[in-house]
Amino acid sequence: MNEQNSKSKDVTRDIDRAIRRANDRIERCRDEIGKAVIGQKEMIDGMLTGILAGGHILLEGVPGLAKTLAIRSLAQVLDASFSRIQFTPDLLPADLVGTMIYRQQTGEFVARKGPVFSNVILADEINRAPAKVQSALLEAMQERQVTIGETTFELPNPFFVMATQNPIEQEGTYPLPEAQLDRFIMKLAITYPTAGEELEILRRVGVEFNPKLEKVLFGSDIQEIRGTVEQISVDERIEEYIVQLVTASRKQGERRSFHRYIEFGASPRASIYLYRCAKVHALFEGRSHVLPDDVKAVAPGVLRHRIIPSYEAEAEQLSSTDLVDLLLSAVPVP
Amino acid sequence: MNEQNSKSKDVTRDIDRAIRRANDRIERCRDEIGKAVIGQKEMIDGMLTGILAGGHILLEGVPGLAKTLAIRSLAQVLDASFSRIQFTPDLLPADLVGTMIYRQQTGEFVARKGPVFSNVILADEINRAPAKVQSALLEAMQERQVTIGETTFELPNPFFVMATQNPIEQEGTYPLPEAQLDRFIMKLAITYPTAGEELEILRRVGVEFNPKLEKVLFGSDIQEIRGTVEQISVDERIEEYIVQLVTASRKQGERRSFHRYIEFGASPRASIYLYRCAKVHALFEGRSHVLPDDVKAVAPGVLRHRIIPSYEAEAEQLSSTDLVDLLLSAVPVP
Amino acid sequence: MRRSALLVVFMLVVAWGAVSQSSYVIVDSVRLPAESYVGDPVELRYSVRSQATAIVPDETPQPRWGDITAVRVQPGAGGFDLRMTVTPYEPGTLTLPRIDLGEVRIEGLSLIVDSILPPGDVGLRPAHGPQRLPGTQAALLLFGFGISFVIALVLYLLGPGRRHIHSIVSRYRARVPYRRLLARVQVLERDINRHTMREFYIILAEELQTFMTCRVKQNCMAATSTELIAILPELEESCGAVAGTAAPLEEIFLAADSAKFARKTIRRKKRARHLKLVHAVAVELESHRRRLRRSVRVPREQVSHVGV
Amino acid sequence: MRRSALLVVFMLVVAWGAVSQSSYVIVDSVRLPAESYVGDPVELRYSVRSQATAIVPDETPQPRWGDITAVRVQPGAGGFDLRMTVTPYEPGTLTLPRIDLGEVRIEGLSLIVDSILPPGDVGLRPAHGPQRLPGTQAALLLFGFGISFVIALVLYLLGPGRRHIHSIVSRYRARVPYRRLLARVQVLERDINRHTMREFYIILAEELQTFMTCRVKQNCMAATSTELIAILPELEESCGAVAGTAAPLEEIFLAADSAKFARKTIRRKKRARHLKLVHAVAVELESHRRRLRRSVRVPREQVSHVGV
């Protein structure tokens, strides 16, 4: 008993050390990005959560909120290849994925890989591209492989897509259908900075400003941190809480008062992503176990784009975020 | 008499052995898929029924219910080529079927086969594609051959299409017309997993999860199992029952109380598919003869998309599935 | 003395007067009409035998109860005839006032006056119903009895009797499927050699389905054997039998399936045993059902709860 | 002397008359009809046995209560028959006046007259209700009392009592979560060895959440520990306690989190201390809350302003 106890204590100490190490790196990463991006802590944490949970992120916000800057900074800080794809209505899937080109010397077709073959991809204004291009990207995101001509190529690892979307409804945009939205682990709503932050931005960026960011996070680090995340324990009561949250969003089983605002609830995929993100959040907090707080913290990002509001909600001007709040305040915490 | 008896007993024993062998393989197949997909037994059995009955399957369910995962797993388990086609509003028939390309060395046009040339095809969100593309696929499904340019190519055997459809009504979707729906042997309605299953999914998939599935079902196996299915006997009373079920769904002959809920009943194709699926179901149950239970078990999948509800049914919120239930509880079992 | 003599004389005179004035006899009296009602003028005729000559008085006396409108006197046999027309306004036996006819004073006459109003009643009453012919009374009485019997019957049937009769009918009806099943089992037993094995089980299964449909309020005709087996507990419950009473039927359903659809051979001995099983189960269920009905007349839902 | 002689003669005559007049016996009496009502003429027949000869009087005496319309005398066996027709206008036992029949005076006769109207009643009355069985009276009385009590109660509850009872109920209700918490703490204290450390904190945290939900008008069941800690000042405020009264709960919430989700071991001693803490905080909060309620019955908003 005593031996076992001391052993389990050792394990605990190991995890704690690993968590501390991981957090140090993440902190350095944040600091480095913070040189270029002022404020927007939520967005940066969300992006890091996405990388560590192995999912892709959708950023929604009006133009000029440093979305692109933040993603580029993240790519700089990571030791990773980065490509930015500006989605336009005339983009073709081949522009993304690559195409077969004819090589005259050999008289053969050779595959030329597209920009999708990078570790970090910024898919800017994804809703401006036609559906075929969107689905090509989303397929690549899911399969982690791409077929050009008849050859199938593996995508690099880590492979991390950050798509941005402009909420301003414009002519000639192709809103992502729900099924495609579901494939993003989180949808982050980027808001305006605070007045203080804005003042700070002005002071720093007022003069020409192009800080050189150091690479502080390497591929091996990411693997290691992911390993640490996996070790974070999730109590079964937390697991049940996650499943309850997701199933409560659906119009089946127990009827809840907010169900009339929901057209469609979250899919089982939502519970998987909630689970993973909550673990990453616990790591950020330096804990070796997940608390309900972690689940609640990541729930808006994970559930926001998976709950489709009904007409009634629209009539009462309730956004998906409000619906998630209603959900969180209705499901008992374990 | 005695000799004849012993001979028929031998035959019986042969069939029983064949059935047991077939079930072993199917069981292994299920197990293997079960490594990747938790729960959803009905969906997996439906897909297997489709393959063995030689028909195509339509899956309907909200996003995130592992439809794609299940189909991909099935393709992995089968020794079969697999291609996934994401249907989008801007897809062209050529993207599906293939096109003629010019080869400079020979100065000839060469057919470049499209993704439809695979054993298992996942047609994702089939209702998002325009009618021209849908009908190209459905034609291929029926003819089992495809014409590119002037050459006609046979499609591989087995050829098995699984289409998914999103029930969320969206702008820019093209619902399949009834005539096209009729070509699918079964329409499976995928429902949310139970809370227990969801918890299980969470535990398994919560961490990065990408199991490697073994191939356990080869082309020859499928042929053999199909042969066994053909040997399963169907009593003439069962045949009559099938025909009665299908004709009772139509508004002709004897009037039944539920006829006011039905706009159009099932086609004769429905009875053929019911017959085939019932046989496969009997095989799954390890029986060498079909029982009314088998017919009842497959009836919802086979009849659901073939019975078109009337306005009255819609007003009373009766789905096609409810109508099939009404039908099954009205027709006397032989 | 003179005074007392005068007194004596006076008294004598008085006594004679009283005697002489009463010297008449009313021989006959007639009333026209014979029955008189309040407000009707009546003519009274009296034949008076008297030596006295009657003089019609100048003033006819007026009684409190009505008017005497005319008094006439006609000479008659051995006296005179007194005729008066009287209009009484009160019912009852009315005494006529003394009528002074000169030498005779007629008094003590009376008149019985009826009223169309019942005695003791004041004010108007609604019109009488039509008068009946004599002899219809009995018929009417019988008719009345008949009507009231019918009404009573109807009330009974609408009221407490309905439930009663309903329960009798439903009790009878409830036994019909049971009797039918037993009868069919008997016929099958008799014809066991006439039917093929397949026919035998088709008939038997159908009879069981019919029986169960009547007992469990569910269309068992459209139920497969597996579904029927799943319904068996409900059947037991609806009859108030303990769980497992109907379990032997499971074997029969499965045998029927394999006989009908797999063409498996089932020996005659087994078939006979199956018939006996069905018979036994039916009798057992019925006895429970009847006991359930008889013992406590609680609604079936409750019983089933208890049963659970 | 003559005068006195005359007087003597007169007195003798009178005395003789008085003596002779009482010598009769009424043998039989008949009333027609047997029952008589006010206003009905009744014929009374008396068979009188007497030696005297009866003479019908000239004037029939008229009593106050009605009319005697006719007095007839017929000779009968051993005397005479007296027949009178009487119309009474009053109910009750009526005494007939003395009837002077010359030699005999009949007196002391009486007549019982009924009325279709109940005695002592004047004018019409509404129809009687159905007659009650004797003994129902008490039950009715009780029932009446009951009804009026209920009505009074309802009126009270609708009127001034509502607020009163409401305040009693709400005061009681308000104490329920507090009592519940104390009771559970006691149970936990008793069973501290029965529960695992994890169970212990799951129950304790849930009880605290329930308690807080009742006190702060917010669903604390769906609040995490961090959120609960953030709510503590609101809890203190709602009870009118000074800031920091509930602060010890913070430690308990954090301990509960680490026990529930991190599976950290928390020693029994500490657990017992936590229970004591919860108890102490609950008692402290409750005492403040009650003082707040009692001292000034100001609406809660004002209190919270004061508190701020």
Side-chain angles (χ1 to χ4, degrees), chain D residues 247-264:
Chain D
L249 297 183
E250 194 175 323
E251 183 193 334
I252 292 158
F253 287 129
L254 294 178
D257 260 8
S258 62
K260 282 195 282 185
F261 305 120
R263 312 227 170 198
K264 286 239 172 72

Side-chain angles (χ1 to χ4, degrees), chain C residues 48-89:
Chain C
V48 184
R49 186 177 292 170
S50 171
Q51 258 70 40
T53 42
I55 302 154
V56 175
D58 297 336
E59 274 184 77
T60 49
Q62 294 302 332
R64 274 188 319 167
W65 43 258
D67 294 332
I68 298 174
T69 41
V71 178
R72 280 159 290 149
V73 173
Q74 289 178 341
F80 56 91
D81 276 11
L82 172 66
R83 294 185 181 183
M84 289 186 290
T85 307
V86 177
T87 309
Y89 297 123

Side-chain angles (χ1 to χ4, degrees), chain B residues 35-101:
Chain B
K35 284 183 191 166
V37 183
I38 289 115
Q40 300 290 14
K41 184 178 180 310
E42 207 189 327
M43 172 166 66
I44 292 163
D45 273 9
M47 293 192 311
L48 288 170
T49 306
I51 290 183
L52 296 175
H56 310 286
I57 298 282
L58 182 64
L59 297 166
E60 191 174 79
V62 294
L65 292 178
K67 296 191 292 288
T68 312
L69 178 66
I71 296 169
R72 191 171 337 115
S73 306
L74 178 67
Q76 278 177 28
V77 165
L78 287 176
D79 177 36
S81 58
F82 169 71
S83 60
R84 178 185 164 184
I85 309 167
Q86 170 70 48
F87 278 49
T88 55
D90 49 357
L91 205 70
L92 295 174
D95 294 330
L96 206 74
V97 168
T99 177
M100 298 299 282
I101 55 164

Side-chain angles (χ1 to χ4, degrees), chain A residues 29 51 73-80 120 215-218 222:
Chain A
C29 196
I51 290 184
S73 306
L74 178 66
Q76 278 177 28
V77 164
L78 285 177
D79 177 36
V120 177
K215 296 209 178 301
V216 290
L217 209 61
F218 298 91
I222 293 177

